[in-house]
Amino acid sequence: MLGKTAGGLFWMFRYLERCENTARLVEVGFRMAMTRGGDPADEWASVIDTAGARDAYLARFDTFDGPSVIDFLLRDPDYPSSVLSSIEAARFNARLVRIALTREVWEATNECWMALKAALKRPVRENEMTAVLGLIRQQSALVRGALHGSMLRNDGYDFARVGTFLERADNTARILDVKYYVLLPSISQIGSSLDNVQWETVLRSVAGQRAYRWLTGGEVAPIGIAEFLILDGRMPRSLAFCTAKMADNLGYLERDYGMRHPCHDQVDRLRAMLHDNDIEAIFEHGLHEFLTDFLRDSGILAAQIEQDYRFYG
Amino acid sequence: MTDKPEFFDEMTGSGDTPRAPYAEYHRWFEGEDIARLRHKSNEAETFFRRTGITFNVYGQAEADERLIPFDIVPRIISGREWSRLARGIEQRVRAINAFLYDIYHRQEILRAGRVPPELIARNEAFLPQMIGVNPPGGVYTHIVGTDLVRTGEDEVYVLEDNARTPSGVSYMLENRETMLQMFPELFSKVRVQQVSDYPARLRRSLAASAPPACSGKPVVAVLTPGIHNSAYFEHSFLADQMGGELVEGSDLRVVDGRIAMRTTRGYKAIDVLYRRVDDEYLDPLVFNPASMLGVPGIMDVYRSGGITIANAPGTGISDDKAIYSYMPDIVEFYTGEKAILKNVPTWRCSDGDSLKYVLDNLAELVVKEVHGSGGYGMLVGPAASKKELAAFRAKLEAKPGNYIAQPTLSLSTVPILTKAGLAPRHVDLRPYVLVSPDKIDLVPGGLTRVALKQGSLVVNSSQGGGTKDTWVLEE
């Protein structure tokens, strides 16, 4: 496979994942603004923080009001992680690597792009929000379904999956990092009640609120949320899960090509970091420090993959 | 039908009853509801959009990707008609390859005085770098798209020999795919020869032209100028369908005397490069030094038998519009036979008497740039305004050698579906010929381009033309 094609697949699926993550954040904000009594500006500001987009947002807007935040996250062409920018980038990469995609995956991606472009042509009105967010979720699920159902399990699939999980781990780690201060103070005082809004933001933005409740029987404890999102191998957006998947797919590449690269050592380091720690140790070390280390190391992993598999000349 | 039959209509001939190849289709059509067909027509557009069968338009950022309009009424050719065309095309393509070999070697045809030497020597399409080079298997034009027009029951003319990098074959394939999806019932009524194995035949043909340096199964790749090129869809489509790689110049470099592509496992040699990049951009060391689209050093590798470039560099000298007028002589010179397919009578404006005739009859003629393509820089006399005629007259007088002129042909029509039902529109036909050292292979079909505007004779997609599925019936 061409290095360029491997890189295109990697980025196509990173962007598709990003598109979904950003949409989910909008959903969180929208829901909270609807159901909560407090100042909605705080909640929208927290959504922007979770996206890690405070600077980019404030460069364009002065206040954190719902319509501006929503429009920024869904449609802003200059914000590279907006839903529209992400799907554009995903589809651009898909065109680049079309020969490595099945017709089903290509068409699902192309249709996703057409549907989202049409739905996001104008600012989304409040009464259309549920339908539009539902459409984004549905369309990206169709691409994922086409990938699972029709692609050969070869190197191309591995690059697509590694891109997906790198982006997802990155997303979860960033959300936790932005919110760690919410979880942190309460750790010393076990049993204290968490700010419901804040923990719900965290869990909802990784689509984990139901699973978490189901697993814990409804008990909300900060250390439990952190453990769930960092170490729980059953949670498909946890750092442990994503890292294990990356290690799997990179392992397939190693076996398939008969060649071990520095990226394999790097993913092993990441996995060890999650495997060798329990949540108490992580908090002891400092949650923020731990997440910073993780983000740094996954950044190194991404760069190493790019180099080892010759994405660029 | 509104037009009087001053043109040959391929569905009805000159009368009211359908010609034999269309009989079955016509019967089916009579039983159909126009509204339903119009609806189908919209469905086809959705199909094309979803599949991403688009072309990029230069200089139009907003409408970056466009669809070529597709008309759902097929263009139908009988098996017998096709056999004759096929013989004529094969003869012509054989002559073109012999001509190219000769022109880049002993130049017998010039010595024999059949083609004037200055037409070659001073021609930009002639590449001195190709003199004495032997392309693998002796093939210059691996893929040719011969543009044909029809003016009557038995009158077919070759309009152009596209011997560089003819495009459009992906539309031939996708048009058929679309028709099969929309009207499966038609294909059980009418026995149409299939075209869907074109990519496999293309691959076989390219592989058969592998260079001496190839060991094992030939590695085939398509070289594209990139994602912004107007025909990018076609490049990726063909690579995909052939099971080859789609590469850009930036993926390639010279490694151990071969052209190699950067893969996830290191550099891997390519045997046959189906390039969709013009000669000029192929090798910055030899041609345009500013080119980022090619591969520095590829011409050296080519000359030493390290790679097959399809089509070979320098084939443009054979489809040049000034050379075109000599094609009947060229066919006869190399095949010893009269040309089966007719040439359109052509006035070379470089010649003083011809220029005078052309200037005197400008309003009746079609004038083309010798090096132009895509329908740009062309004058259709009968359709031009006085102002356009005057402007063209000035251009002709300034640089007569840049132009040729031809009579305005009465191109045949095939109906398209309009709101009011069927209406005749002018068409041309581009079949695709594959040439390998052991055979000339012609897929029974081609791209029918149709001028969608009533009365228009310009079928180019860049000028508002559309396409149709082309059916060649079984004999």
Side-chain angles (χ1 to χ4, degrees):
Chain A
M1 157 171 292
L2 287 182
K4 178 186 67 188
T5 307
L9 284 163
F10 176 86
W11 279 106
M12 172 185 169
F13 281 91
R14 274 200 89 153
Y15 279 118
L16 279 169
E17 179 70 24
R18 191 173 295 180
C19 173
E20 230 186 306
N21 291 340
T22 304
R24 191 172 302 108
L25 268 181
V26 173
E27 196 156 8
V28 172
F30 187 63
R31 194 191 154 78
M32 290 197 316
M34 252 178 358
T35 55
R36 307 261 168 208
D39 181 1
D42 291 346
E43 276 139 27
W44 286 118
S46 132
V47 164
I48 286 291
D49 281 338
T50 313
R54 182 173 274 263
D55 292 345
Y57 180 85
L58 287 176
R60 239 147 300 169
F61 303 96
D62 299 327
T63 58
F64 291 99
D65 60 296
S68 303
V69 171
I70 289 172
D71 206 51
F72 175 77
L73 291 177
L74 290 183
R75 303 176 60 247
D76 199 312
D78 298 324
Y79 173 49
S81 299
S82 73
V83 168
L84 212 49
S85 303
S86 306
I87 189 63
E88 281 284 359
R91 194 222 181 218
F92 179 86
N93 279 284
R95 286 185 70 209
L96 215 53
V97 302
R98 186 159 163 184
I99 68 162
L101 302 173
T102 57
R103 189 161 186 146
E104 280 91 334
V105 174
W106 158 254
E107 286 186 7
T109 309
N110 196 39
E111 279 189 79
C112 177
W113 171 78
M114 287 192 291
L116 266 46
K117 252 177 69 136
L120 300 174
K121 204 167 179 168
R122 281 174 291 280
V124 180
R125 287 197 307 268
E126 231 175 9
N127 60 0
E128 309 163 327
M129 193 61 71
T130 312
V132 168
L133 291 171
L135 179 78
I136 298 170
R137 217 173 22 229
Q138 186 196 26
Q139 287 293 334
S140 42
L142 286 173
V143 179
R144 200 166 34 236
L147 176 81
H148 288 308
S150 72
M151 288 272 286
L152 275 181
R153 292 324 195 244
N154 59 5
D155 45 355
Y157 184 82
D158 292 324
F159 288 113
R161 296 303 276 165
V162 172
T164 301
F165 289 112
L166 246 171
E167 180 69 25
R168 189 180 291 176
D170 207 71
N171 182 59
T172 300
R174 273 177 212 290
I175 288 173
L176 275 170
D177 197 33
V178 169
K179 296 291 182 184
Y180 81 100
Y181 62 88
V182 187
L183 300 166
L184 208 51
S186 27
I187 199 82
S188 51
Q189 22 185 306
I190 308 238
S192 73
S193 75
L194 256 186
D195 176 346
N196 277 352
V197 181
Q198 296 295 351
W199 76 257
E200 210 178 316
T201 319
V202 176
L203 281 176
R204 273 189 188 279
S205 53
V206 295
Q209 78 281 11
R210 290 277 310 269
Y212 180 75
R213 260 191 229 123
W214 188 79
L215 285 171
T216 61
E219 195 183 319
V220 179
I223 197 161
I225 293 173
E227 185 173 26
F228 181 58
L229 296 184
I230 296 172
L231 297 176
D232 197 322
R234 296 165 300 181
M235 162 61 182
R237 313 194 81 84
S238 75
L239 304 189
F241 181 90
C242 296
T243 307
K245 283 288 180 190
M246 284 191 276
D248 284 352
N249 287 105
L250 287 172
Y252 300 148
L253 285 172
E254 181 186 346
R255 216 171 50 200
D256 188 10
Y257 288 2
M259 217 187 304
R260 189 173 171 86
H261 288 298
C263 68
H264 294 107
D265 297 334
Q266 181 64 16
V267 79
D268 283 349
R269 265 196 289 282
L270 265 184
R271 196 158 51 165
M273 190 177 158
L274 294 159
H275 198 262
D276 300 346
N277 276 306
D278 57 24
I279 197 67
E280 283 79 14
I282 289 172
F283 273 89
E284 190 130 328
H285 174 65
L287 181 59
H288 174 62
E289 287 71 18
F290 177 85
L291 293 168
T292 308
D293 288 353
F294 182 89
L295 284 167
R296 186 200 57 217
D297 283 356
S298 73
I300 292 172
L301 175 62
Q304 195 61 52
I305 293 170
E306 178 182 312
Q307 198 184 326
D308 292 345
Y309 292 106
R310 303 172 173 85
F311 287 4
Y312 309 103
Chain B
M1 307 239 172
T2 50
D3 274 12
K4 287 196 193 73
E6 59 186 288
F7 301 100
F8 177 72
D9 187 79
E10 296 189 17
M11 187 181 272
T12 57
S14 310
D16 292 328
T17 51
R19 291 173 62 247
Y22 284 86
E24 197 66 46
Y25 178 83
H26 193 263
R27 215 177 350 264
W28 171 86
F29 185 88
E30 293 288 284
E32 287 293 311
D33 171 38
I34 298 287
R36 186 187 92 96
L37 290 177
R38 295 280 297 172
H39 180 71
K40 283 273 182 189
S41 190
N42 293 334
E43 257 177 39
E45 189 177 320
T46 312
F47 176 80
F48 279 105
R49 283 236 179 262
R50 197 178 61 213
T51 322
I53 306 173
T54 55
F55 71 104
N56 303 338
V57 184
Y58 293 115
Q60 295 192 8
E62 185 50 34
D64 204 11
E65 292 166 35
R66 288 251 214 103
L67 290 185
I68 297 184
F70 172 69
D71 175 70
I72 62 168
V73 182
R75 198 261 186 91
I76 309 178
I77 298 168
S78 76
R80 206 176 45 80
E81 289 172 318
W82 179 257
S83 304
R84 186 173 159 268
L85 289 183
R87 277 199 310 281
I89 293 167
E90 283 179 31
Q91 179 198 46
R92 202 160 164 116
V93 168
R94 193 170 293 118
I96 285 174
N97 271 282
F99 171 70
L100 284 164
Y101 182 84
D102 186 27
I103 281 301
Y104 288 117
H105 290 82
R106 290 179 51 84
Q107 304 198 323
E108 304 279 3
I109 197 167
L110 305 187
R111 294 164 199 234
R114 302 289 285 269
V115 172
E118 66 272 17
L119 209 58
I120 305 294
R122 284 204 235 122
N123 200 314
E124 283 172 31
F126 176 74
L127 296 187
Q129 296 87 346
M130 283 298 290
I131 294 174
V133 175
N134 291 316
V139 179
Y140 283 85
T141 59
H142 304 79
I143 302 115
V144 181
T146 312
D147 284 348
L148 303 172
V149 294
R150 184 169 191 173
T151 56
E153 187 64 61
D154 290 311
E155 285 165 71
V156 176
Y157 292 91
V158 176
L159 205 56
E160 241 173 77
D161 301 283
N162 296 289
R164 304 175 201 208
T165 50
S167 62
V169 76
S170 57
Y171 293 95
M172 169 182 90
L173 296 167
E174 288 293 343
N175 286 354
R176 175 63 55 80
E177 202 53 44
T178 307
M179 289 296 278
L180 281 166
Q181 293 214 5
M182 288 196 306
F183 304 109
E185 74 274 19
L186 259 174
F187 290 87
S188 56
K189 285 187 209 301
V190 186
R191 287 158 56 87
V192 182
Q193 296 192 46
Q194 65 151 338
V195 293
S196 61
D197 60 350
Y198 176 83
R201 289 160 82 161
L202 172 63
R203 188 187 172 110
R204 194 177 58 208
S205 187
L206 290 173
S209 310
C214 170
S215 54
K217 196 171 156 234
V219 175
V220 178
V222 177
L223 175 65
T224 174
I227 198 163
H228 298 294
N229 183 268
S230 65
Y232 178 78
F233 161 73
E234 177 156 300
H235 306 160
S236 75
F237 177 88
L238 287 174
D240 185 24
Q241 300 277 311
M242 276 200 294
E245 287 292 354
L246 178 66
V247 297
E248 293 177 41
S250 58
D251 297 316
L252 305 178
R253 65 156 68 149
V254 178
V255 179
D256 300 332
R258 305 291 311 274
I259 297 299
M261 55 186 170
R262 196 182 69 250
T263 78
T264 49
R265 308 174 197 231
Y267 277 87
K268 183 179 175 190
I270 294 172
D271 297 306
V272 183
L273 192 62
Y274 175 16
R275 52 86 176 223
R276 298 292 295 259
V277 167
D278 292 344
D279 286 352
E280 194 193 344
Y281 301 102
L282 211 46
D283 187 343
L285 300 184
V286 179
F287 306 115
N288 184 346
S291 170
M292 307 290 283
L293 304 176
V295 193
I298 191 172
M299 283 302 287
D300 270 349
V301 173
Y302 182 62
R303 279 191 285 251
S304 62
I307 191 161
T308 297
I309 300 177
N311 290 352
T315 56
I317 191 66
S318 67
D319 70 5
D320 181 86
K321 289 190 181 70
I323 294 291
Y324 167 86
S325 58
Y326 294 94
M327 276 309 289
D329 294 314
I330 289 173
V331 170
E332 213 178 314
F333 188 79
Y334 296 106
T335 67
E337 303 159 7
K338 286 264 175 225
I340 297 170
L341 295 173
K342 280 189 269 193
N343 239 37
V344 183
T346 303
W347 291 276
R348 308 172 192 120
C349 300
S350 53
D351 173 77
D353 289 346
S354 298
L355 177 65
K356 183 174 184 310
Y357 177 87
V358 171
L359 289 172
D360 289 348
N361 295 280
L362 203 53
E364 315 296 324
L365 299 173
V366 174
V367 187
K368 295 173 179 175
E369 269 183 52
V370 172
H371 301 295
S373 71
Y376 292 104
M378 172 172 153
L379 174 85
V380 181
S385 67
K386 276 197 177 136
K387 211 169 131 194
E388 285 166 327
L389 285 173
F392 227 87
R393 179 179 298 276
K395 285 199 218 172
L396 267 169
E397 282 167 342
K399 284 190 171 171
N402 274 3
Y403 297 93
I404 54 147
Q406 295 169 337
T408 309
L409 293 180
S410 308
L411 300 196
S412 62
T413 56
V414 173
I416 63 167
L417 185 70
T418 68
K419 282 187 194 117
L422 295 182
R425 293 291 185 274
H426 296 292
V427 294
D428 77 352
L429 175 65
R430 177 180 293 178
Y432 296 88
V433 197
L434 300 171
V435 186
S436 57
D438 52 342
K439 101 189 223 201
I440 295 180
D441 188 17
L442 184 57
V443 179
L447 178 66
T448 290
R449 299 187 297 176
V450 54
L452 296 173
K453 244 175 34 200
Q454 189 174 359
S456 170
L457 293 167
V458 186
V459 296
N460 304 70
S461 57
S462 49
Q463 312 272 306
T467 67
K468 282 171 168 293
D469 189 15
T470 309
W471 293 3
V472 174
L473 304 184
E474 291 184 4
E475 281 198 63

